[in-house]
């Protein structure tokens, strides 16, 4: 008797998750549509629907159209945006990026905070301030649901194994923030969050296996195979910036990261121009003005990146590669250079896409990751809409 009861509870829990998944993935749906999609009896759907309504996870949004055979118009339902919110922090070397998102991923608040040269204690203080201000700015049923940190380093079992750009000084972010705010705290590699964004915010994109290259101060890859994120045995999956390459037959091999990361490109152009203090916008201006050094170095980097993509495609056999790069977003013509160089290397075309709106990519990936977790839908495929 006890085993049969447990089985019924498990089935109910599974069906509840499937209904919630269906509603998240179809923002305006009805009980009859859910019943058809999940092949569950209408009475079962009604019971599950009522449970989710009691939990205030759903919101009715009015009547839909009647069916072709007439009858009552169905009541349409969507996820209740005001159920609660999540917060994601991107711990960058120069800036701390913070966002609060409703449960449907709509952005409530975004903030960029200058932290260049600041210790981790200062970043933690700014994160707490952002979190502490939110209850005065947004009212939801359950308030803060969870926190995600985007780390430009290696993560294993929700712990930072390596943080090359920021000295963490043994700071345990999970303990600090779970202890103060009493919600789940997840840590994830920045490139992996870019891949989660590509998977969960590109509604209708045809790829279930792809690689997202994230080009910032370093170069990393988020690898998704059959909709599942690949971490590797020790959390080092996607650490492709360390891949060796050479700029010529008599030149010693160097890491791709040391040649083609955004910081590396800025440094190389500074050396070529014998100037200091350049930034991304200055590099863009030099390239657009026809500066020969900027053109040579950036076009050279396109060839190296194309070679890196060729190796990634050979290794993982994805359906496509996406590039997350604020610099290339400002110089979109470079993506055509990369595609052309790839075709020269591989003797064939391959889908290489530039991700737009790079500011939000990592943060929305974090929003999706923590939302999956707090709704107990970690292994469920969810699709979110990028709100304007």
């Amino acid at each position: 008797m006890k085993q049969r009861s447990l089985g019924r509870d498990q089935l109910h829990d599974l069906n509840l998750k499937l209904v919630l998944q269906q509603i998240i993935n179809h923002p305006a749906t009805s009980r009859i549509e859910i019943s058809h999609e999940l092949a569950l009896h209408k009475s079962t759907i009604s019971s599950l629907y009522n449970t989710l309504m009691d939990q205030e996870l759903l919101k009715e949004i009015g009547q839909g159209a009647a069916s072709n055979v007439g009858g009552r118009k169905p009541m349409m339902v969507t996820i209740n945006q005001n159920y609660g919110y999540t917060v994601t922090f991107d711990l960058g070397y120069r800036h701390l990026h913070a966002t609060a998102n409703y449960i449907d991923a709509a952005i409530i608040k975004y903030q960029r905070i200058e932290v260049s040269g600041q210790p981790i204690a200062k970043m933690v203080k700014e994160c707490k301030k952002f979190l502490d201000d939110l209850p005065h700015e947004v009212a939801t049923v359950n308030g803060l649901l969870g926190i995600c940190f985007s780390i430009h380093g290696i993560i294993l079992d929700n712990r930072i194994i390596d943080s090359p750009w920021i000295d963490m000084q043994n700071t345990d972010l999970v303990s600090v923030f779970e202890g103060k705010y009493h919600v789940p705290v997840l840590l994830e590699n920045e490139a992996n969050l870019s891949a989660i964004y590509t998977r969960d915010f590109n509604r209708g994109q045809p790829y279930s296996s792809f690689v997202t290259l994230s080009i910032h101060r370093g170069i990393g890859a988020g690898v998704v195979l059959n909709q599942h994120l690949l971490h590797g045995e020790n959390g080092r999956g996607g650490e492709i910036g360390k891949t060796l390459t050479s700029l010529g037959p008599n030149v010693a091999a160097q890491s791709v990261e040391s040649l083609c990361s955004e910081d590396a490109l800025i440094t190389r152009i500074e050396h070529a121009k014998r100037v200091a203090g350049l930034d991304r916008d200055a590099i863009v201006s030099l390239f657009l003005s026809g500066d020969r050094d900027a053109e040579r170095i950036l076009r050279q980097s396109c060839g190296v990146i194309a070679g890196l993509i060729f190796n990634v495609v050979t290794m993982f056999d994805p359906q496509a590669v996406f590039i997350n790069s604020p610099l290339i977003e400002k110089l979109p013509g470079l993506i055509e250079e990369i595609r052309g160089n790839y075709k020269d290397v591989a003797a064939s075309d391959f889908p290489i896409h530039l991700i737009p709106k790079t500011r939000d990519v990592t943060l929305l990936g974090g929003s999706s990751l923590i939302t999956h977790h707090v709704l107990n839908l970690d292994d469920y495929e969810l699709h979110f809409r990028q709100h304007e």
Side-chain angles (χ1 to χ4, degrees), residues 29-30 33 61-67 71-77:
T29 188
S30 66
E33 289 174 343
I61 54 174
Q63 291 183 323
S67 68
R72 289 193 304 174
K73 295 180 179 179
M75 178 60 69
M76 307 303 288
V77 65

Side-chain angles (χ1 to χ4, degrees), residues 47-58:
S47 174
L48 298 167
Y49 179 93
N50 291 335
T51 298
L52 293 172
M53 286 294 292
D54 290 342
Q55 294 173 357
E56 299 189 70
L57 269 163
L58 308 185

Side-chain angles (χ1 to χ4, degrees), residues 22-201:
Q22 187 72 15
I23 292 170
I24 291 173
N25 290 347
H26 302 84
T29 188
S30 66
R31 276 180 279 189
I32 190 65
E33 289 174 343
I34 298 170
S35 176
H36 288 158
E37 288 293 328
L38 300 181
L40 293 173
H41 194 274
K42 286 187 290 185
S43 62
T44 301
I45 293 298
S46 291
S47 174
L48 298 167
Y49 179 93
N50 291 335
T51 298
L52 293 172
M53 286 294 292
D54 290 342
Q55 294 173 357
E56 299 189 70
L57 269 163
L58 308 185
K59 180 177 70 172
E60 293 180 337
I61 54 174
Q63 291 183 323
S67 68
N68 294 333
V69 295
R72 289 193 304 174
K73 295 180 179 179
M75 178 60 69
M76 307 303 288
V77 65
T78 191
I79 192 76
N80 179 17
Q81 186 183 70
N82 289 317
Y83 177 77
Y85 60 86
T86 64
V87 169
T88 299
F89 297 107
D90 181 11
L91 298 186
Y93 177 74
R94 295 186 182 87
H95 299 98
L96 166 66
H97 299 267
T99 184
N101 299 76
Y102 289 114
I103 201 68
D104 65 351
I107 296 174
I108 302 169
K109 177 182 179 181
Y110 165 80
Q111 188 173 356
R112 188 180 81 162
I113 303 163
E114 175 69 41
V115 292
S116 182
Q118 298 295 322
I120 185 62
K122 169 67 172 175
M123 296 188 190
V124 168
K125 183 178 179 180
E126 292 291 352
C127 291
K128 289 179 179 179
K129 184 178 186 307
F130 184 87
L131 287 161
D132 293 341
D133 287 345
L134 281 169
H136 307 292
E137 300 171 13
V138 58
T140 59
V141 175
N142 295 295
L144 179 65
L145 299 172
I147 303 167
C148 179
F149 283 93
S150 167
I151 306 297
H152 296 249
I154 298 170
I155 307 298
L156 181 64
D157 297 329
N158 214 32
R159 293 180 296 111
I160 299 175
I161 303 302
D162 184 36
S163 174
W165 315 123
I166 299 174
D167 182 0
M168 297 304 297
Q169 300 178 353
N170 295 318
T171 302
D172 186 341
L173 293 173
V174 175
S175 295
V176 168
F177 285 86
E178 283 188 349
K180 179 173 175 59
Y181 297 100
H182 308 291
V183 296
V185 176
L186 298 182
L187 312 182
E188 185 54 277
N189 169 267
E190 179 271 335
N192 286 343
L193 292 178
S194 296
I196 290 174
Y197 166 86
T198 305
R199 183 191 65 190
D200 297 346
F201 283 86

Side-chain angles (χ1 to χ4, degrees), residues 20 171 296:
L20 184 56
T171 302
R296 173 179 55 83

